[in-house]
Amino acid sequence: NAGVTQTPKFQVLKTGQSMTLQCAQDMNHNSMYWYRQDPGMGLRLIYYSASEGTTDKGEVPNGYNVSRLNKREFSLRLESAAPSQTSVYFCASSAFYEQYFGPGTRLTVT
Amino acid sequence: AQSVTQLDSQVPVFEEAPVELRCNYSSSVSVYLFWYVQYPNQGLQLLLKYLSGSTLVKGINGFEAEFNKSQTSFHLRKPSVHISDTAEYFCAVSDGGYQKVTFGTGTKLQVIP
């Protein structure tokens, strides 16, 4: 039982490049989330998906898109990366109000 | 709208001393409250949660928290800390809608040998 997995673990992009962060969970949870974590700012919600086939914006959605591919997978896409998107990105799924987090992706945009 | 305030960004404490990490919240509806812990270079994991019932909630690793509705607080306590408790602690609140959770800015607990 792997829980929540994320790939890649680390990534360096140049300004303007695009990439997709992958997330998968094997706990059969309906809800999934993408957060970014920046020093002194806690975790901020980018997008969430309450169930397969639905996605909604969170607190900081600008510059990102998401896809809920199926119940297991929820991907985050940066179409044109900017230095302000340098951050650690966490995917999570939830059940009974408890959130289960992946190990994170550390992204640097130069 | 819901929000969480963690006033202390860093808390140094000697090993085996007690510690309290403070959390205050605001919400217009009934809330669910959580404490998560993040060890270096890892994701967050749940320490404890308050959904309803007893206002004193016990969690893993000897931590406990008390829900105080009148003070809108949910402070985390441990009577005797260990080096292994060095981590960042996040308070969080949810009004239950789509199970969305709002996190505080975190408190770094540094346990000094």
Side-chain angles (χ1 to χ4, degrees), chain A residues 78-89:
Chain A
L78 286 70
E79 291 291 351
S80 178
S84 60
Q85 294 179 305
T86 292
S87 187
V88 181
Y89 291 85

Side-chain angles (χ1 to χ4, degrees), chain B residues 44-85:
Chain B
L44 281 71
Q45 62 186 83
L46 185 69
L47 260 185
L48 49 80
K49 61 186 175 188
Y50 170 79
L51 302 182
S52 65
S54 173
T55 57
L56 183 62
V57 180
K58 294 190 184 297
I60 61 172
N61 299 339
F63 283 93
E64 63 181 31
E66 185 156 20
F67 171 55
N68 187 320
K69 189 173 183 179
S70 62
Q71 305 271 348
T72 61
S73 66
F74 191 55
H75 300 331
L76 181 70
R77 301 185 183 99
K78 186 170 183 178
S80 176
V81 296
H82 302 285
I83 292 288
S84 59
D85 293 323

Side-chain angles (χ1 to χ4, degrees), chain A residues 3 17 24 27 31 53 62 65 72 77 92 96 108:
Chain A
Q17 287 185 319
M27 295 174 282
S31 300
N62 291 345
N65 285 301
R72 288 188 66 247
R77 183 160 178 84
F96 303 107
T108 302

Side-chain angles (χ1 to χ4, degrees), chain A residues 46-67:
Chain A
I46 305 172
Y47 271 93
Y48 68 99
S49 171
S51 62
E52 185 179 352
T54 68
T55 61
D56 282 287
K57 295 178 181 179
E59 183 185 351
V60 289
N62 291 345
Y64 305 95
N65 285 301
V66 290
S67 296

